[in-house]
């Protein structure tokens, strides 16, 4: 018990009487329970960079997350994106069909190219935005009013790397507070966003200056989890460890199965054998061919090696972990993993 008290003291805690709430108990089996005593912004500031990097790695390399990011825009945004229906009415309250048709025609024409670079349609833009929010935890869309195109308006998706979460400033006389790169007023309402002039690790150099963009021009999309949260975090956080562990376990089973398929066994000297190898430094090998019968040298016996991989518990275990992953992503297990077993 003294060792337990010393361990608690090392992390700034002490042993107390049994808690009334079971979830507040703290004992030997719960010492790895992380106690969150910081604000949500401080937690994000500490882990945002690694979280975002891990999420982007999964989005590129993990088949489960890639499938999720395929399903997300299809089921949330849809094939036609967010459509618009004009509702201009006459003085008598009836819809003005002629004006509404012109507005909708203009919307359809603008939807063909909505970004400043002219490379992305509205549907492509909306699909990219929802995937960015899921992966990075947030997306920054800048409204370019008066942009020099036919419609005088464009949308720019700004990489979340370009707003420095390490840029913080307390409220001072005549100056607003800056939290994680977001300037806020006394009510924590965003006033402006401080962006780098280019990404930190760009092919043409690193960022050098910050640009202050008024909040009126920025749409900051994220799903807050706690009050007073300034930045968003990836939707993959709760499934990162299970996905990584499952990938490692599957790789180990695959290597073991491949090893077992590649090695049949070995040759060993029998008891009292006087066999001498032609070259002690060169191991004796035998090749296995379909339908062949081979004779072993005198004094040698063949010992078969047949590892049982993957083991019988493998599919059950993998399925349970996949169910946890689907639950963490809040999506149907059958859709995410293309598993229709047991579906009627």
């Amino acid at each position: 018990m003294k060792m337990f008290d010393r361990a608690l003291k090392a992390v700034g805690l002490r042993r107390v009487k049994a808690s009334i709430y079971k979830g507040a108990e703290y004992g030997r089996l719960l010492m790895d329970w992380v106690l969150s005593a910081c604000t949500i912004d401080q937690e994000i500031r500490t882990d945002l960079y690694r979280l975002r990097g891990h999420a982007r790695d999964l989005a590129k390399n993990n088949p489960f997350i890639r499938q999720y990011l395929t399903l997300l825009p299809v089921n949330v945004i849809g094939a036609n994106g967010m459509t618009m229906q004009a509702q201009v009415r006459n003085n008598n309250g009836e819809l003005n069909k002629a004006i509404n048709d012109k507005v909708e025609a203009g919307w359809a024409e603008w939807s063909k190219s909505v970004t400043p670079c002219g490379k992305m349609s509205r549907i492509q833009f909306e699909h990219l935005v929802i995937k960015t929010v899921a992966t990075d935890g947030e997306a920054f869309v800048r409204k370019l009013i008066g942009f020099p195109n036919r419609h005088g308006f464009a949308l720019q998706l700004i990489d979340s790397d370009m707003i420095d979460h390490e840029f913080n400033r307390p409220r001072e006389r005549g100056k607003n507070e800056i939290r994680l790169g977001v300037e806020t007023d006394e009510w924590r309402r965003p006033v402006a966003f401080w962006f780098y002039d280019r990404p930190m690790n760009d092919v043409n150099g690193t960022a050098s200056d910050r640009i202050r963009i008024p909040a009126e021009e920025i749409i900051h999309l994220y799903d807050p989890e706690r009050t007073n949260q300034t930045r968003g975090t990836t939707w993959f956080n709760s499934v990162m460890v299970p996905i990584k562990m499952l990938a490692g376990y599957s790789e180990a089973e695959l290597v073991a199965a491949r090893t077992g398929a590649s090695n049949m066994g070995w040759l060993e000297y029998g008891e009292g054998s006087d066999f001498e190898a032609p070259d002690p430094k060169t191991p004796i090998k035998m090749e296995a061919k379909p339908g062949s019968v081979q004779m072993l040298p005198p004094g040698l016996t063949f010992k078969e090696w047949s590892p049982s991989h993957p083991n019988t518990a493998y599919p059950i275990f993998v399925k349970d972990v996949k169910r946890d992953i689907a639950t963490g992503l809040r999506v149907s297990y059958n859709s995410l993993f293309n598993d229709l077993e047991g579906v009627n």
Side-chain angles (χ1 to χ4, degrees), residues 163-177:
I163 180 168
D164 186 8
H165 67 281
E166 292 291 350
F167 184 36
N168 298 277
R169 182 184 71 192
R171 188 177 309 282
E172 301 173 354
R173 181 175 299 179
K175 293 183 178 180
N176 290 320
E177 181 182 13

Side-chain angles (χ1 to χ4, degrees), residues 80 82 106-129 141-145 147-157:
N80 298 320
M82 300 179 183
W107 168 267
E109 184 180 353
W110 173 78
S111 297
K112 296 177 182 178
S113 176
V114 302
T115 56
C117 62
K119 299 178 180 179
M120 197 172 295
S121 68
R122 176 181 54 81
I123 299 174
Q124 291 174 314
F125 185 83
E126 292 171 355
H127 284 197
L128 179 58
V129 166
V141 179
R142 186 178 184 183
K143 298 176 289 185
L144 300 175
I145 301 176
F147 187 79
N149 60 8
R150 181 177 179 183
H151 301 276
F153 182 70
L155 296 174
Q156 180 187 20
L157 181 60

Side-chain angles (χ1 to χ4, degrees), residues 34-334:
V34 178
L35 300 180
S36 177
C38 301
T39 64
I40 183 64
D41 281 351
Q42 181 58 33
E43 293 178 353
I44 292 175
R45 179 184 181 183
T46 302
D47 296 335
L48 182 61
Y49 183 78
R50 289 194 302 273
L51 272 176
R52 193 163 56 210
H54 294 167
R56 290 176 177 178
D57 175 71
L58 292 177
K60 291 192 293 281
N61 300 310
N62 186 268
F64 308 147
I65 294 300
R66 289 187 65 83
Q67 170 71 352
Y68 175 75
L69 293 177
T70 300
L71 295 173
L72 188 63
V74 172
N75 289 277
V76 176
I77 303 300
N80 298 320
M82 300 179 183
T83 58
M84 190 271 292
Q85 185 175 14
Q87 296 288 314
V88 179
R89 296 180 181 273
N90 298 321
N91 294 333
N92 58 6
E94 296 181 355
L95 292 173
N96 189 316
K97 187 176 184 304
I99 295 180
N100 288 332
D101 289 344
K102 291 182 179 180
V103 171
E104 293 176 5
W107 168 267
E109 184 180 353
W110 173 78
S111 297
K112 296 177 182 178
S113 176
V114 302
T115 56
C117 62
K119 299 178 180 179
M120 197 172 295
S121 68
R122 176 181 54 81
I123 299 174
Q124 291 174 314
F125 185 83
E126 292 171 355
H127 284 197
L128 179 58
V129 166
I130 190 64
K131 290 191 290 185
T132 301
V133 173
T135 304
D136 292 354
E138 58 187 353
F140 297 90
V141 179
R142 186 178 184 183
K143 298 176 289 185
L144 300 175
I145 301 176
F147 187 79
N149 60 8
R150 181 177 179 183
H151 301 276
F153 182 70
L155 296 174
Q156 180 187 20
L157 181 60
I158 304 177
D159 197 322
S160 57
D161 287 340
M162 295 180 64
I163 180 168
D164 186 8
H165 67 281
E166 292 291 350
F167 184 36
N168 298 277
R169 182 184 71 192
R171 188 177 309 282
E172 301 173 354
R173 181 175 299 179
K175 293 183 178 180
N176 290 320
E177 181 182 13
I178 297 178
R179 305 178 66 87
L180 310 180
V182 181
E183 182 178 337
T184 60
D185 62 12
E186 58 182 306
W187 301 107
R188 300 290 296 274
R189 179 180 298 173
V191 175
F193 294 83
W194 290 81
F195 292 94
Y196 282 122
D197 57 352
R198 67 178 63 189
M200 289 298 296
N201 298 306
D202 190 52
V203 294
N204 291 321
T206 59
S208 57
D209 298 320
R210 289 190 178 95
I211 302 174
R212 184 182 185 272
I213 301 179
E216 292 80 8
E217 299 181 19
I218 299 296
I219 302 174
H220 186 195
L221 300 170
Y222 71 102
D223 186 14
E225 299 177 354
R226 283 169 57 184
T227 184
N228 294 330
Q229 180 176 339
T230 307
R231 300 284 297 272
T233 57
T234 176
W235 295 0
F236 308 154
N237 172 58
S238 62
V239 300
M240 283 182 175
V241 174
I243 286 177
K244 196 67 176 176
M245 292 297 179
L246 180 59
Y249 174 60
S250 298
E251 181 184 11
E253 286 287 353
L254 179 61
V255 171
R258 181 178 177 181
T259 302
S262 302
N263 295 273
M264 300 190 324
W266 55 84
L267 300 174
E268 63 180 6
Y269 294 103
E271 185 177 354
S273 172
D274 56 355
F275 174 79
E276 294 184 4
D279 185 359
K281 296 182 179 181
T282 303
I284 299 176
K285 299 179 180 180
M286 58 180 297
E287 297 182 2
K289 298 180 180 179
S292 63
V293 178
Q294 298 191 24
M295 180 178 296
L296 298 178
L300 294 182
T301 58
F302 176 75
K303 188 170 183 179
E304 183 181 5
W305 180 50
S306 180
S308 55
H309 285 280
N311 58 52
T312 55
Y314 174 77
I316 300 176
F317 174 77
V318 169
K319 193 169 187 176
D320 286 343
V321 178
K322 286 182 176 180
R323 289 188 183 279
D324 292 340
I325 294 172
T327 301
L329 293 175
R330 292 174 289 183
V331 67
S332 167
Y333 161 81
N334 306 97

